[in-house]
Amino acid sequence: MMDWTDTHCRVFHRLLAPHARLYTEMVHANAVIHGDRARLLAMDPVEHPVALQLGGSEPELLGAAAKIGADHGFDEINLNCGCPSDRVQAGRFGACLMREPQLVADSVAAMVENCDVPVTVKCRLGVDDDHDWDRFLAFIDTVANAGCGMFVIHARNAWLQGLSPKENREVPPLRYDWAYRLKHERPQLQIVVNGGIATQDEATSHLAHTDGAMLGRAAYHDPYLLHRLDVAWFGGELRTRGELLRALRPYVEDQLARGVYLKHITRHLLGLFAGERGGRAFRQVLSEGAHKPGADWSLVEQAIEITESFAGERVDAA
Ligand SMILES: Cc1cc2nc3c(=O)[nH]c(=O)nc-3n(C[C@H](O)[C@H](O)[C@H](O)COP(=O)(O)O)c2cc1C
């Protein structure tokens, strides 16, 4: 997610969910080719398996960017066909690509040819008021035939006029049944459903119909949900929030020693105690202290201790 899922965020999420597949924010193919790769493609080895999401619509550029991403160590290259922002539309990529299946197929083919990791696509159900199942299926088939074996379906339309990107994540109604039907009609494809999944039960219920569930906002705002899901789906011991966060200490200290500011890491931690007694105090300590000069791990420890003192942290039932 743009501006949210940077490498610090993904390292934290990996700690919470050892089995999840993590995704970068969308990076335009041109930026991958010409930009500051050390920054744009920053990735820690603990993040694996991690996918690089590309934006763009020029097959040659996407092919070159996919190769760079795979050579950089990303485990999957994903093409964004779901972003509705004006800037993205003006660049003729993102959600408006759902109207150009052949261009997406050509792009996927170029990416597949240039890299040796899976190439996947994240898309919507359609754009504007197009609710034609056959057109959606034709999009999927055209792109699948070019070498895409996995689709992440943000299960609502994108409205290209009149809605902000934020509204486009809330206003067009969710229709999970289309993702389910897609899996039913194309069982050979891996189908991952996305959009509005907010609880463990919701996420789990999707697995009866699809191969996976992708969580965006809920994972960011309530990251402990990722941990509960990982334990529920893959086994292992449920650890407390404090325990999990303390395991991040070596990473944080290493990053601080490299000159990274504490606030750049702690901004991703703020939701860890969401809904818990003391959750507000945790946020407050970190928000108020992390930007101060010299802020270090002791601030995080202080935030955990204050929070734990509220109730004595309990391990939630899975
Ligand atoms: C701040 C923000 C940035 C996002 N950036 C991206 C992005 O770069 N690429 C992408 O495919 N989706 C992006 N999305 C959309 C999410 O990946 C997801 O599809 C959408 O929020 C619906 O899922 P959710 O309800 O689980 O959040 C973004 C969402 C938010 C809130």
Side-chain angles (χ1 to χ4, degrees):
M1 291 183 285
M2 303 279 275
D3 298 326
W4 290 12
T5 50
D6 62 13
T7 180
H8 306 309
C9 176
R10 298 191 305 264
V11 167
F12 173 51
H13 285 183
R14 171 60 67 222
L15 194 77
L16 301 169
H19 300 87
R21 177 154 290 232
L22 302 174
Y23 285 76
T24 69
E25 63 184 338
M26 175 175 66
V27 188
H28 194 275
N30 262 324
V32 172
I33 296 167
H34 302 294
D36 174 5
R37 283 183 209 161
R39 184 177 61 81
L40 292 168
L41 301 185
M43 185 251 284
D44 188 285
V46 302
E47 290 178 36
H48 294 293
V50 55
L52 169 66
Q53 188 185 63
L54 294 177
S57 58
E58 290 164 81
E60 205 176 315
L61 292 184
L62 284 165
K67 177 171 170 27
I68 293 168
D71 290 348
H72 205 78
F74 285 97
D75 303 289
E76 168 188 329
I77 309 293
N78 177 269
L79 178 64
N80 184 313
C81 296
C83 180
S85 82
D86 289 345
R87 189 178 60 82
V88 161
Q89 275 186 64
R92 198 177 156 221
F93 60 102
C96 59
L97 285 177
M98 297 218 59
R99 288 192 177 129
E100 302 196 62
Q102 194 52 52
L103 182 58
V104 178
D106 293 345
S107 301
V108 163
M111 293 160 77
V112 168
E113 198 181 306
N114 280 281
C115 75
D116 52 9
V117 297
V119 172
T120 65
V121 164
K122 180 163 179 272
C123 64
R124 300 271 186 145
L125 302 181
V127 288
D128 297 330
D129 55 1
D130 179 4
H131 299 298
D132 186 324
W133 167 260
D134 291 335
R135 198 167 9 247
F136 173 63
L137 193 60
F139 173 87
I140 297 288
D141 283 342
T142 307
V143 177
N145 285 337
C148 175
M150 184 185 125
F151 292 84
V152 181
I153 308 292
H154 182 178
R156 50 161 59 96
N157 275 32
W159 295 354
L160 297 181
Q161 302 294 327
L163 289 189
S164 68
K166 184 169 186 294
E167 289 166 325
N168 252 309
R169 294 189 286 266
E170 286 156 12
V171 176
L174 284 160
R175 285 176 291 144
Y176 296 127
D177 55 310
W178 276 37
Y180 300 170
R181 183 174 169 191
L182 180 60
K183 179 64 196 174
H184 187 72
E185 294 194 13
R186 296 291 182 268
Q188 72 280 12
L189 296 176
Q190 294 267 305
I191 303 300
V192 174
V193 66
N194 165 249
I197 304 170
T199 67
Q200 183 177 334
D201 285 348
E202 282 171 30
T204 302
S205 70
H206 289 300
L207 296 192
H209 309 279
T210 60
D211 300 292
M214 174 188 269
L215 278 70
R217 289 165 293 185
Y220 193 83
H221 294 310
D222 178 13
Y224 195 63
L225 174 59
L226 284 179
H227 182 60
R228 286 191 283 121
L229 279 172
D230 202 276
V231 171
W233 292 359
F234 300 100
E237 283 283 302
L238 203 64
R239 299 164 72 194
T240 65
R241 295 166 173 84
E243 251 183 282
L244 288 160
L245 186 47
R246 286 189 175 105
L248 194 65
R249 179 176 180 166
Y251 175 79
V252 172
E253 294 193 325
D254 179 61
Q255 291 296 310
L256 295 178
R258 291 166 191 256
V260 170
Y261 292 115
L262 186 67
K263 64 179 180 182
H264 290 147
I265 304 175
T266 52
R267 73 189 189 103
H268 304 300
L269 314 179
L270 299 178
L272 182 59
F273 289 85
E276 289 294 289
R277 288 183 67 193
R280 266 184 60 191
F282 179 78
R283 286 184 81 95
Q284 207 173 346
V285 170
L286 290 184
S287 314
E288 288 175 4
H291 63 278
K292 294 189 177 152
D296 63 12
W297 175 262
S298 62
L299 182 79
V300 183
E301 188 57 48
Q302 188 192 336
I304 300 172
E305 280 170 16
I306 288 177
T307 309
E308 286 178 339
S309 74
F310 268 77
E313 213 220 324
R314 54 190 160 73
V315 172
D316 287 2

